[in-house]
Amino acid sequence: MVKGDCKLSGDIVIYAVSDSIGETAEEVAKAAAVQFNSHVKEIKRIPNLTDINMVDELIDRIKSSNALIVYTVIIPEIKERLIKRTMEYNIPAVDILGPVIENMERLTGLKSKHEAGLLRKMNLEYFKRVDAIEFAVKNDDGKDPRGILKADAVLIGVSRTSKTPLSMYLAHKNIYVANLPIVPEVEPPKELYMIPREKIYGLVIQPEKLNEIRRERLRFLGLSDNASYASIDRIKEELKFSRKIMKALNCMVIDVTNKAVEETASIILEDINNRKIEGVSGENTRNY
């Protein structure tokens, strides 16, 4: 709907106004402007219009000019003020989102959140999630020790302690995760000792359960389940070595024996959130 009855003539300036970044309003204005060759002098984006005084300043500045306002304003009081002031000076103003939202409210029986910038927030969340997933893949199984220095969380543990699925699950929660296998014959990379211990999560498991998991894995691969990889003695040796490393790092240790990936992830997420809220302090010797 266009507010105001005046007819514009000659070259005009279009103001793409929004209480968010104004990208949608600007793109609509551009799409319309190309239909009028060079008669649109300029398209000016006015973002973050979140204060009534800002509305008044804008209208007072353009009230005598050959202007058209194209707007995507969600905040009710800002929208009402904009409509009132444009009608006061007969400034044409086109509400891009309003009719769509009104019809969606009518069809769904629900009320709009009236929160500015939601689409941008959703897009930012999406791209961060994709980036976190790519990070987890790149830094899976100790592929690049340098990733340890950039990670929000570093998972360490012997083979088959759910490091990879846990990394991917956390990545979908926008956490940047690197994971590293602990093997007695290989010393952990120096980067592991260069990060705060609070970022490190040691994963352990009961030997018998790990024996069962590894034997099943070997059978799945068509190999003999009597290999050293699934030997209970070898498993105990690996777990003993991994606990030694975890003790030296003084990191949180989580027993994943009877835990689903989601359960282990919730422990880590809670710890990360607590650190964000409270800050890092005190000893981190809890076992789960």
Side-chain angles (χ1 to χ4, degrees):
M1 181 181 294
V2 177
K3 304 294 182 181
D5 299 321
C6 72
K7 293 183 179 180
L8 300 178
S9 59
D11 294 345
I12 64 172
V13 176
I14 301 177
Y15 291 85
V17 176
S18 177
D19 48 14
S20 183
I21 61 174
E23 185 177 20
T24 300
E26 184 178 35
E27 289 303 313
V28 171
K30 286 178 179 178
V34 295
Q35 302 296 324
F36 296 89
N37 298 322
S38 59
H39 292 288
V40 175
K41 182 179 180 182
E42 187 178 3
I43 297 174
K44 294 184 178 182
R45 189 197 296 194
I46 311 294
N48 304 314
L49 198 75
T50 56
D51 185 272
I52 288 177
N53 291 329
M54 295 172 67
V55 176
D56 290 339
E57 289 173 7
L58 171 66
I59 300 303
D60 289 342
R61 189 167 75 245
I62 70 173
K63 62 186 179 183
S64 300
S65 63
N66 213 21
L68 166 66
I69 291 179
V70 176
Y71 66 90
T72 54
V73 176
I74 298 296
I75 303 172
E77 56 268 28
I78 303 300
K79 182 176 178 179
E80 290 171 10
R81 186 69 170 187
L82 183 63
I83 292 172
K84 179 182 178 181
R85 292 304 309 276
T86 53
M87 291 183 71
E88 182 181 342
Y89 290 100
N90 271 351
I91 301 172
V94 181
D95 181 3
I96 295 173
L97 291 180
V100 179
I101 290 176
E102 288 167 10
N103 277 280
M104 289 184 71
E105 287 182 333
R106 180 175 59 82
L107 291 170
T108 63
L110 302 173
K111 282 292 184 181
S112 164
K113 294 179 180 178
H114 295 298
E115 184 178 340
L118 280 182
L119 180 60
R120 180 169 177 266
K121 290 177 184 177
M122 288 174 65
N123 286 339
L124 288 174
E125 285 292 303
Y126 171 76
F127 287 115
K128 183 179 179 181
R129 185 177 303 115
V130 170
D131 193 43
I133 292 170
E134 290 178 351
F135 183 90
V137 171
K138 182 180 179 181
N139 293 282
D140 181 47
D141 209 30
K143 290 176 184 174
D144 186 356
R146 293 172 299 179
I148 292 173
L149 302 175
K150 302 175 183 178
D152 296 322
V154 178
L155 311 179
I156 63 173
V158 301
S159 175
R160 313 311 295 177
T161 48
S162 300
K163 295 186 299 299
T164 296
L166 184 56
S167 292
M168 296 308 298
Y169 186 94
L170 291 169
H172 277 83
K173 301 294 183 181
N174 295 348
I175 305 297
Y176 289 78
V177 186
N179 76 72
L180 181 72
I182 300 297
V183 184
E185 292 79 14
V186 181
E187 281 296 319
K190 65 181 185 300
E191 287 84 356
L192 190 60
Y193 297 92
M194 296 167 62
I195 62 172
R197 57 183 171 78
E198 290 81 8
K199 289 187 175 184
I200 306 171
Y201 299 90
L203 308 179
V204 297
I205 189 171
Q206 293 301 311
E208 296 75 18
K209 182 64 175 179
L210 185 54
N211 173 254
E212 178 185 329
I213 293 171
R214 287 189 177 183
R215 290 179 65 183
E216 182 61 33
R217 177 62 176 169
L218 289 171
R219 285 195 289 266
F220 176 79
L221 295 173
L223 303 172
S224 170
D225 61 4
N226 292 320
S228 172
Y229 176 71
S231 163
I232 192 70
D233 290 335
R234 170 64 183 181
I235 286 171
K236 288 179 178 178
E237 178 189 358
E238 289 184 27
L239 289 170
K240 182 179 180 180
F241 180 76
S242 70
R243 283 192 176 275
K244 178 182 176 183
I245 296 296
M246 293 170 196
K247 184 177 181 180
L249 291 166
N250 192 27
C251 65
M252 178 185 286
V253 177
I254 306 172
D255 190 333
V256 301
T257 303
N258 296 309
K259 289 185 176 68
V261 168
E262 294 84 356
E263 292 179 86
T264 307
S266 69
I267 293 171
I268 294 173
L269 288 169
E270 182 180 4
D271 186 65
I272 291 173
N273 289 333
N274 286 340
R275 284 194 279 114
K276 287 180 179 179
I277 295 170
E278 302 171 4
V280 176
S281 63
E283 293 299 313
N284 192 16
T285 55
R286 290 167 290 168
N287 288 266
Y288 289 81

